[in-house]
């Protein structure tokens, strides 16, 4: 690793929960790690002095990104200067994600200005003349039309095939801010199907093709205006449009039905015109942001070292301290540290830290967020200290599990001026709840550490009758690791101490063995999980991360795959505490990218550091059982991909003393032969398969030693996927795409009813990303509410014995289309006010263990389903009879308000399971329920309040869509709101939200208050009884 950059000598936070507050660092130790999250100043936008700057080759690993970095380490007088006046900037705490925050109105936005010209009166002409792009032309051939409109309709009535038409519009009274803007965007909207757009005779850009796809008819068109081109008056916009034409294809500046108002406004944090990532990132806006923080230099002796650790900043993060440039870190998901000692002022004096974050271009295939979206920590150590992530703990269980040999490897560093003799001492503390005393100290031999050098120490301890970490009982030990220094002429002293949590468990895998945890066979009931927290955006607040894991555990998951980047430390801490297995994934691309500005730009220069940072940071987490080096790597079927697969796999193994297995998620293109994956998969311990269950058996016959895991699978194929998992030891589990919805990958799981009509419109309906801004492929929505497929999975995984969903009748002349990642439009409801009594509805009863399922409407049996009945339908003894297929009994019954009841029978035991759905009354009131009644008075805690619309009997009204307004009082804030609707572009920040399927979510965030206090939320809606809830906050140990 001659070219591998050294890690900074610092150490990240090891949070100490209340139950382990007895494990405070030794008073003799100088190490202090404190949260560095509060009192940051923030500005959304860039420093003018950085515009058009270039950087040196040493600072820019990718010359094409030079525009995003500073020219030299010196700061000048701009935002990074300690003397800069930031009093007008926002004051906030991190974690913070500016991409999830409301954008200002387009007319007031100086950072992402948009000039909207779409709707209103235009001139239109059929045919094609190049001079019609000019500012001044003879417009006698043009007809006045109103836009948006389809040129097939009156007054244009244009139905020629391979048709070309021109639109022209004059722009006067342009606001001065738009005239002066250097990054103005001209919003055109949807065009059918190819456009060339001009401003004052200058071509701004063109989109679409002569072989149009659905995307060419629904893509939003917006173009950057060159500085100086726009005038206060007398501007002319000209748009040339080509369409396939005829009666089947729309043409011109038309509005696809799914683009409602998309070209006219921005909503909350979403703007279709200025989001470079567009549907990939959910139409959120990145850009550049600056953070500044003033702080006093920490106390300590002359040899103390001070470092900062950032758990994650997205992306291209640069730091200055007191005007001195410290570092550039491009990858948004890896934790990094920097030693700031030499740039600090004297103890007690004020310092100014400036952070610039640049999220420009198309950097992500999903919602990434922008900003310091994870925690920051400040650490003070002695000159001789334990290296950052310098403790590796590797418990080895005896064959009978009666004892564990705990191997502890520690790296000590000497950043002082004189040699130091040091040794390591380790004490093991038993898990909370155990009455056993801490172990006797285990010590290493002493070693001399020269100035500027490091030394590695090894300590071995033994735990008898250890408490094991597992998915049902996740017992966590703490190793108190001390670095003991022998100063010349003085007594030994503890120069450093780190408390490291770890679990004692044994992971095994093999094609005949399967996957085993602590000697027991275990199938990975997995789901892929992106990093965002729904209404919070990408902010990794501890309670938000913990709640996601809690919800998934309740729904039967025992494993998550961190798609497609390293998870936050807070998420892994929660997985450790709650017993959730983790496939920890590193990258979505290597040296060949998927988007123009993604990680491939940095891979060659940075992968060693980023991959090492992930492994070294996370190797002591017992929840991490598999490393993943990448997802659907574009090079995967090429020799370079196979070579890198081996290089990265070996690199990971060299840094993980436990020897966890390594995987990578592989997908196939239609033209590839499955055997082409063999070279890529050969270095992997476990081969990851994305969406290719048809290859399992043939690949196993070709390579019987291969261990496989379904790293991604379609929700609708869950039954077939799990039949294969249960029947084959060498297939160790399945990770559905996805466990929860995420922002971005818009409309991936779309469902829609096709409409009779005009050709391409019918094909495209429902597939348009806008206003979809959420993936809609999860078992749970972004608020954590259950979706219909979650109830199916509950039965599949034996979380629930019986569940039932209902689909209303499709509109006349329509049929339902479902994405491969989607799910039928179903509801757990027998309340259908929009359909008439007697209309046919589809009822699905999910059952795994029952021999027979009966269905009753208002007490009358309307159907029976029997296991082994196949797919036939028959009328038997006055009942419809259907077989139970794929754990589903399907009935078509007339809708009749009242109650719908499914009864499942198990003949062998006589067990009966019942599910009943009731028709509710009209909405009458709101009901609030908090996930907890008392929370910590900490910015890292949150209260999640579910607001339900209920009828007069207090029953949830699933179809209710009402506007809810909130009032908040107390020692905190109404932090975020959401409803899970993938097409509702409402703000996450405003104190109002429209319910989706009868509910909405409010998130409360307390102040950091040692004395505690109260949080009161009141919800009101027109015509409904209001409701409120009050929570208590209390002081909690840090």
């Amino acid at each position: 690793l001659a070219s591998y950059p050294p890690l900074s000598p610092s150490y990240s936070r090891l949070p100490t929960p209340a139950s382990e507050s007895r494990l405070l660092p030794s008073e003799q130790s100088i190490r202090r790690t404190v949260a560095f999250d509060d009192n940051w100043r923030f500005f959304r936008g860039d420093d003018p002095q950085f515009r058009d700057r270039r950087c040196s080759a040493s600072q820019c690993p990718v010359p094409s990104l030079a525009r995003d970095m500073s020219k030299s380490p010196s700061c000048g007088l701009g935002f990074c200067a300690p003397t800069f006046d930031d009093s007008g900037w926002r004051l906030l705490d991190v974690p913070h994600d500016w991409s999830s925050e409301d954008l200002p109105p387009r007319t007031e936005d100086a950072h992402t200005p948009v000039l909207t010209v779409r709707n209103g009166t235009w001139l239109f002409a059929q045919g094609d003349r190049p001079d019609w792009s000019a500012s001044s032309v003879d417009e006698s051939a043009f007809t006045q039309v109103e836009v948006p409109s389809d040129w097939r309709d009156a007054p244009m009535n244009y139905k020629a095939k391979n048709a070309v038409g021109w639109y022209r519009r004059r722009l006067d009274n342009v606001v001065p801010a738009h005239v002066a803007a250097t990054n103005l965007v001209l919003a055109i909207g949807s065009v059918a199907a190819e456009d060339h757009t001009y401003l004052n005779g200058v071509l701004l850009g063109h989109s679409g093709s002569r072989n149009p796809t659905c995307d060419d008819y629904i893509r939003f068109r917006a173009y950057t205006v060159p500085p100086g081109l726009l005038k206060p008056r007398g501007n002319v916009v000209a748009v040339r449009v080509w369409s396939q034409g005829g009666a089947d294809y729309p043409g011109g500046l038309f509005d696809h039905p799914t683009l409602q108002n998309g070209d006219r406004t921005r909503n909350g944090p979403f703007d279709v015109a200025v989001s470079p990532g567009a549907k990939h990132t959910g139409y959120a806006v990145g850009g550049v942001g600056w953070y500044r923080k003033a702080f006093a230099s920490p106390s300590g002796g002359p040899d103390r070292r001070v470092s900062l650790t950032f758990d994650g900043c997205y992306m291209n993060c640069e730091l200055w301290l007191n005007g001195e440039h410290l570092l550039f870190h491009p990858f948004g998901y890896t934790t990094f540290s920097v030693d700031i000692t030499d740039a600090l002022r004297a103890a007690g004096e004020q310092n100014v830290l400036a952070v610039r974050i640049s999220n420009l271009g198309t950097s992500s295939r999903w919602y990434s967020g922008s900003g310091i979206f994870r925690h920051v920590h400040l650490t003070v150590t002695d000159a001789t200290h334990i290296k950052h992530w310098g403790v590796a703990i590797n418990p080895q269980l005896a064959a009978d599990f009666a004892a564990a040999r705990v191997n502890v490897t520690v790296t000590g560093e000497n950043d002082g001026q004189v040699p130091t003799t040091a040794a390591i001492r380790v004490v093991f503390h038993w898990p909370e709840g155990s009455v056993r005393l801490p172990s006797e100290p285990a010590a290493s031999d002493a070693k001399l550490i020269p100035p500027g050098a490091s030394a590695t120490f090894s300590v071995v301890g033994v735990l008898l009758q250890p408490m094991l970490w597992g998915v049902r009982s996740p017992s966590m030990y703490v190793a108190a690791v001390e670095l003991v220094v022998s100063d010349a002429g003085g007594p030994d002293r503890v120069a450093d101490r780190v408390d490291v949590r770890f679990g004692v468990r044994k992971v095994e895998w093999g094609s005949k063995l399967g996957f085993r945890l602590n000697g027991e066979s275990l199938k990975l009931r997995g789901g892929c999980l992106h990093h965002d927290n729904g209404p919070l955006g990408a902010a990794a607040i501890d309670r938000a991360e913990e709640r996601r894991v809690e919800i998934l555990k309740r729904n039967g998951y025992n494993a998550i795959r961190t798609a497609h980047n390293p998870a936050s430390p807070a998420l892994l801490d929660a997985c450790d505490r709650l017993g959730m297995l983790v496939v920890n994934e590193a990258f979505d691309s290597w040296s060949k990218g998927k988007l123009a500005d993604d990680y491939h730009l940095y891979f060659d220069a940075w992968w060693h550091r980023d991959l090492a940072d992930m492994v070294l940071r996370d190797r002591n987490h017992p929840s991490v059982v598999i490393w993943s080096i990448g997802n659907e790597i574009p090079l995967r079927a090429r020799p370079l991909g196979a070579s890198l697969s081996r290089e990265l796999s070996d690199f990971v193994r060299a840094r993980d003393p436990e020897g966890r297995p390594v995987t990578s998620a592989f997908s196939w293109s239609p033209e590839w032969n499955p055997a082409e994956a063999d070279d890529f998969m050969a270095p992997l311990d476990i081969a990851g398969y994305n969406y290719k269950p048809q290859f399992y058996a043939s690949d196993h016959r070709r390579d019987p030693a291969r261990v496989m895991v379904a790293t991604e699978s379609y929700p609708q194929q869950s039954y077939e996927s799990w039949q294969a998992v249960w029947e084959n030891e060498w297939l160790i589990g399945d990770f559905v795409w996805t466990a929860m919805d995420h922002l971005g990958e818009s409309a991936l799981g779309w469902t829609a009813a096709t409409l009779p009509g005009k050709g391409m419109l019918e094909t495209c309906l429902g597939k348009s990303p806008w206003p979809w801004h959420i993936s809609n492929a999860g078992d749970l929505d972004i608020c954590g509410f259950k979706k219909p497929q979650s109830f199916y999975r509950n039965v599949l995984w034996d979380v629930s014995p019986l569940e039932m969903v209902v689909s209303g009748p499709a509109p006349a002349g329509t049929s339902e289309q479902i994405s491969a990642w989607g799910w039928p439009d179903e509801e757990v409801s027998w309340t259908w006010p929009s359909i008439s009594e007697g209309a046919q509805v589809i009822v699905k009863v999910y059952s795994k263990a029952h021999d027979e399922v009966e269905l009753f409407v208002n007490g009358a049996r309307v159907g029976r389903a029997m296991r082994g009945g196949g797919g036939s339908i028959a009328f038997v003894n006055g009942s419809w009879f259907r077989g139970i297929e794929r754990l589903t009994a399907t009935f078509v019954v007339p809708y009749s308000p009242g109650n719908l009841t499914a009864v499942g029978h198990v003949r062998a035991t006589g067990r009966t399971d019942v599910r009943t759905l009731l028709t509710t009354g009209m909405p009458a009131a709101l009901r609030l329920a908090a996930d907890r009644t008392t929370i910590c008075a900490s910015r890292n805690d949150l209260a999640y309040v579910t607001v339900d619309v209920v009828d007069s009997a207090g029953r949830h009204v699933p179809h209710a869509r009402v506007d809810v307004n909130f009032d908040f009082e107390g020692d905190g804030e109404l932090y975020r709101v959401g409803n899970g609707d993938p097409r509702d572009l409402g703000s996450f920040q405003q104190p109002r939200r429209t319910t989706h399927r009868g509910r909405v979510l409010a998130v409360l965030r307390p102040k950091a208050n040692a004395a505690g206090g109260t949080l009161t939320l009141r919800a009101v809606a027109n015509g409904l009884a209001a409701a409120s809830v009050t929570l208590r906050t209390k002081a909690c140990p840090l």
Side-chain angles (χ1 to χ4, degrees):
L1 271 185
S3 62
Y4 178 62
L7 293 173
S8 300
S10 57
Y11 195 81
S12 69
R13 176 196 59 159
L14 281 166
T16 303
S19 60
E20 294 171 357
S21 58
R22 67 186 187 278
L23 296 173
L24 295 175
S26 166
E27 293 181 1
Q28 294 176 288
S29 171
I30 192 175
R31 177 178 291 265
R32 303 190 304 278
T33 298
V34 298
F36 209 63
D37 290 344
D38 61 344
N39 295 319
W40 288 81
R41 294 282 182 178
F42 171 71
F43 177 78
R44 186 170 186 170
D46 205 2
D47 184 342
Q49 75 164 339
F50 279 79
R51 192 169 296 147
D52 298 326
R53 294 285 290 274
R54 295 295 182 266
C55 65
S56 64
S58 63
Q59 288 179 291
C60 288
V62 184
S64 65
L65 293 185
R67 65 186 184 277
D68 294 340
M69 301 163 209
S70 66
K71 185 176 181 180
S72 68
S74 61
C75 183
L77 300 176
F79 292 176
C80 54
T83 55
F84 177 79
D85 182 8
D86 58 17
S87 59
W89 291 15
R90 281 175 57 197
L91 185 64
L92 53 75
D93 298 335
V94 299
H96 169 247
D97 169 19
W98 79 67
S99 288
S100 66
E101 297 180 333
D102 292 350
L103 294 165
R106 282 180 171 178
T107 55
E108 302 174 12
D109 190 350
H111 307 299
T112 51
V114 179
L115 176 59
T116 304
V117 299
R118 166 69 166 197
N119 295 341
T121 303
W122 290 69
L123 296 178
F124 172 75
Q126 300 179 14
D128 189 17
R129 282 179 48 180
D131 63 320
W132 283 349
S133 65
S135 296
S136 177
V137 299
D138 179 5
E139 295 178 340
S140 60
F142 285 75
T143 302
Q144 185 171 296
V145 298
E146 294 299 314
V147 168
S149 58
D150 183 345
W151 69 29
R152 292 176 297 178
D153 300 330
M156 292 170 279
N157 299 313
Y158 190 26
K159 298 181 181 179
K161 293 187 177 181
N162 291 315
V164 176
W166 280 82
Y167 293 82
R168 291 174 59 85
R169 186 176 189 181
R170 185 179 177 89
L171 299 180
D172 292 319
N173 301 317
V174 179
V175 298
H178 283 170
V179 175
T182 59
N183 58 339
L184 179 68
V185 169
L186 184 74
I188 297 297
S190 56
V191 179
E194 180 189 51
D195 78 286
H196 289 74
T197 298
Y198 299 81
L199 175 63
N200 297 333
V202 176
L203 177 65
L204 299 184
H206 66 91
S207 302
S209 72
R210 290 300 178 99
N211 295 299
T213 64
C214 180
D215 184 63
D216 292 315
Y217 282 84
I218 61 180
R219 182 194 310 157
F220 191 93
R221 317 296 169 92
Y223 302 106
T224 301
V225 177
L229 182 60
L230 187 68
K231 302 175 292 185
R233 298 182 59 83
N235 301 282
V236 175
V237 177
V239 183
R240 179 186 184 274
V241 180
W242 172 90
S243 171
Q244 288 171 290
D248 292 332
Y249 296 95
L253 303 182
F254 90 117
D255 257 3
H256 187 283
T258 61
L259 293 175
Q260 305 162 8
N261 299 323
D263 57 338
R264 298 192 271 282
T265 185
R266 59 174 51 173
N267 302 78
F270 311 107
D271 192 319
V272 67
V274 291
S275 173
K279 65 181 182 180
H280 295 298
T281 57
Y283 302 99
V285 180
V288 176
W290 282 81
Y291 298 83
R292 287 169 56 92
K293 181 178 173 68
F295 65 101
S297 294
S299 60
D303 292 331
R304 61 100 163 89
R305 307 300 298 180
V306 183
S307 62
L308 286 173
T309 301
F310 288 76
D311 285 345
C313 302
Y314 199 91
M315 59 178 290
N316 292 324
C317 181
E318 288 186 273
L319 271 63
W320 290 261
L321 182 59
N322 299 325
E324 179 179 337
H325 189 271
L326 297 181
L327 64 73
F328 165 71
H329 185 87
F331 196 31
Y333 300 107
T334 44
T335 298
F336 63 91
S337 289
V338 56
D339 189 317
I340 64 173
T341 307
D342 295 338
L344 280 173
R345 292 170 177 161
E349 293 187 12
Q350 287 293 302
N351 303 270
V352 176
L353 177 70
V355 181
R356 180 182 186 265
I357 294 176
S358 172
N359 180 13
L360 298 171
T362 53
S363 67
S364 179
R365 296 190 302 114
W366 56 89
Y367 177 88
S368 62
S370 305
I372 305 176
F373 64 3
R374 294 175 180 171
H375 290 299
V376 185
H377 326 283
L378 182 143
T379 299
V380 182
T381 66
D382 190 86
T384 305
H385 54 261
I386 296 170
K387 187 177 181 179
H388 184 53
W389 300 324
V391 178
I393 300 179
N394 179 22
Q396 298 290 315
L397 275 164
D400 60 359
F401 300 98
R405 174 189 174 95
V406 184
N407 302 294
V408 182
T409 303
V410 181
T411 301
E413 291 184 321
N414 181 3
D415 289 328
Q417 302 300 315
V418 297
T420 302
T421 299
I424 292 296
R425 185 168 61 201
V426 180
V427 175
F428 300 111
H429 294 260
W430 285 75
E432 182 66 20
S434 172
V435 297
R436 300 176 70 170
L437 297 175
S439 69
E440 290 296 321
S444 72
D445 293 335
K447 293 184 178 181
L448 181 68
I449 310 178
S454 64
T456 301
F457 304 84
S458 296
V459 174
V460 177
V462 176
L463 299 172
L464 300 177
Q465 300 300 322
M467 299 172 65
L468 302 185
W469 187 95
V471 294
R472 292 183 297 273
S473 179
S475 298
M476 293 292 294
Y477 287 79
V478 174
V481 181
E482 295 178 333
L483 180 69
V484 182
V485 171
S486 300
D487 291 325
D492 292 351
R493 63 182 179 89
V494 177
D496 200 1
R497 170 172 165 167
V498 173
D499 294 334
V500 182
R501 289 175 183 77
F502 69 98
V504 177
R505 52 110 176 99
K506 184 177 184 180
V507 174
E508 301 170 279
W509 67 96
S511 60
K512 296 181 179 179
L513 190 68
F515 183 89
R516 290 178 179 264
L517 182 64
N518 300 331
E520 296 182 2
S521 178
L522 183 70
K523 294 294 188 179
L524 302 184
R525 298 196 304 268
C528 299
L529 192 70
H530 270 301
H531 71 292
D532 74 81
N533 274 299
L536 280 62
I541 296 173
D542 294 12
R543 173 56 188 160
E545 300 285 61
E546 179 182 63
R547 178 177 178 263
R548 287 201 291 169
V549 180
E550 288 177 347
I551 292 172
L552 293 177
K553 286 281 288 187
R554 284 200 301 268
N555 283 282
Y557 287 88
N558 64 20
I560 60 174
R561 170 177 170 238
T562 65
H564 303 290
N565 46 259
S568 72
L571 181 75
L572 296 183
D573 289 342
C575 291
D576 287 347
R577 292 193 302 271
L578 298 172
M580 179 70 80
L581 304 176
V582 176
V583 177
N584 205 3
E585 192 154 82
F587 307 123
D588 190 48
S589 62
W590 294 346
S591 55
K592 179 178 174 58
K594 299 174 182 177
L595 296 173
D597 302 298
D598 69 13
Y599 184 73
H600 82 279
L601 297 174
Y602 307 100
F603 178 81
D604 288 340
W606 283 85
W607 77 259
H608 294 88
R609 179 191 293 255
D610 289 328
L611 192 56
D613 285 351
M614 181 184 82
V615 175
L616 296 179
R617 187 196 72 175
D618 298 340
R619 60 187 173 180
N620 293 323
H621 285 282
S623 58
V624 176
V625 293
I626 300 174
W627 304 109
S628 172
I629 56 175
N631 170 67
E632 298 181 347
I633 298 302
L635 297 168
R636 57 193 178 275
R638 300 180 184 180
L640 177 57
S643 175
L644 284 170
S645 175
R646 182 168 300 282
E647 187 176 3
L648 268 67
S649 297
D650 290 344
F651 185 89
V652 168
R653 294 185 189 104
R655 281 149 188 82
D656 179 18
E658 182 187 319
R660 293 172 178 86
V662 177
T663 190
S664 182
F666 196 99
S667 63
W668 284 258
S669 292
E671 66 273 15
W672 292 353
N673 185 298
E676 292 186 69
D678 290 352
D679 289 344
F680 184 91
M681 291 182 172
L684 306 174
D685 301 293
I686 298 172
Y689 283 64
N690 282 9
Y691 310 110
K692 291 298 178 184
Q694 64 269 35
F695 292 162
Y696 294 161
S698 59
D699 283 11
H700 176 67
R701 288 192 296 270
R702 191 174 67 254
D703 186 359
R706 179 179 294 174
V707 183
M708 305 179 194
V709 63
T711 35
E712 292 181 26
S713 64
Y714 295 119
Q716 295 177 74
Q717 293 182 355
S718 292
Y719 177 79
E720 291 82 3
S721 298
W722 275 92
Q723 287 297 110
V725 172
W726 285 322
E727 292 171 359
N728 300 289
E729 288 296 338
W730 39 266
L731 185 58
I732 65 171
D734 180 277
F735 289 79
V736 68
W737 189 268
T738 54
M740 295 183 73
D741 282 349
H742 53 272
L743 299 170
E745 287 197 300
S746 305
L748 181 68
W750 60 265
T751 61
T754 61
L755 292 176
K758 302 176 179 179
M760 184 59 73
L761 284 178
E762 181 177 353
T763 303
C764 294
L765 186 63
K767 299 180 181 179
S768 168
W770 182 268
W772 295 78
H773 57 288
I774 293 172
S775 62
N776 200 47
D779 279 9
L780 305 146
D781 68 23
I782 64 168
C783 295
F785 300 145
K786 290 172 70 70
K787 294 164 59 182
Q789 56 262 50
S790 177
F791 292 93
Y792 181 86
R793 193 170 306 281
N794 284 171
V795 172
L796 178 70
W797 285 346
D798 299 311
V799 176
S800 171
L802 193 71
E803 296 292 350
M804 180 166 52
V805 297
V806 181
S807 298
T814 69
S815 62
E816 186 178 36
Q817 288 191 348
I818 307 170
S819 153
W821 290 271
W823 193 265
D825 187 12
E826 302 168 341
E827 294 188 34
V828 183
S829 171
W830 194 236
T831 304
W832 298 85
S834 63
I835 65 176
S836 59
E837 188 169 349
Q840 299 293 304
V841 297
I842 298 173
V843 178
K844 293 180 182 178
V845 181
Y846 302 144
S847 163
K848 185 177 182 182
H850 303 104
D851 301 294
E852 179 184 10
V853 171
E854 297 179 287
L855 189 68
F856 298 84
V857 175
N858 297 327
R861 188 169 70 174
V862 295
R864 296 172 59 206
M866 312 219 21
R867 188 169 305 284
S872 61
I873 303 174
F875 197 68
V876 180
N877 296 327
S879 299
W880 288 104
F881 170 89
R882 182 187 290 269
I884 301 174
E885 293 184 310
R886 302 171 75 247
L887 310 185
T888 305
T890 304
F891 304 89
V892 180
V893 301
Y895 176 64
S896 179
N899 63 76
L900 177 71
T901 299
V903 181
H905 302 282
V906 181
R907 294 195 191 101
T909 63
R911 191 185 88 199
T912 298
D913 296 296
V914 179
R915 284 290 180 271
T916 297
L917 301 177
L918 300 175
T919 304
T920 62
M922 295 299 293
L926 299 176
R927 180 178 62 206
L928 275 58
D931 60 340
R932 294 169 298 154
T933 58
T934 301
I935 64 175
C936 291
S938 164
R939 300 295 281 169
N940 286 329
D941 208 350
L942 300 168
Y944 285 81
V945 181
T946 300
V947 182
D948 282 302
V949 179
V950 298
D951 65 8
S952 58
R955 298 173 298 189
H956 173 71
V957 183
H959 67 277
R961 192 165 183 86
V962 301
D963 296 328
V964 178
N965 289 275
F966 295 102
D967 291 316
F968 175 83
E969 293 181 356
D971 300 297
E973 62 181 315
L974 173 59
Y975 183 55
R976 292 297 169 99
V977 296
N979 62 10
D981 186 344
R983 285 172 283 195
D984 183 347
L985 293 166
S987 166
F988 296 134
Q989 291 185 291
Q990 299 302 314
R992 65 190 69 91
R993 198 71 198 235
T994 302
T995 59
H996 175 56
R997 295 191 170 178
R999 60 171 48 105
V1000 71
L1001 181 73
V1003 184
L1004 309 184
R1005 191 177 186 189
K1007 294 178 181 177
N1009 184 352
T1014 60
L1015 308 174
T1016 298
L1017 181 69
R1018 185 172 184 267
V1020 298
N1022 288 336
L1024 304 182
S1028 64
V1029 65
T1030 297
L1031 313 176
R1032 187 172 69 89
T1033 66
K1034 65 176 183 178
C1036 296
L1038 297 177

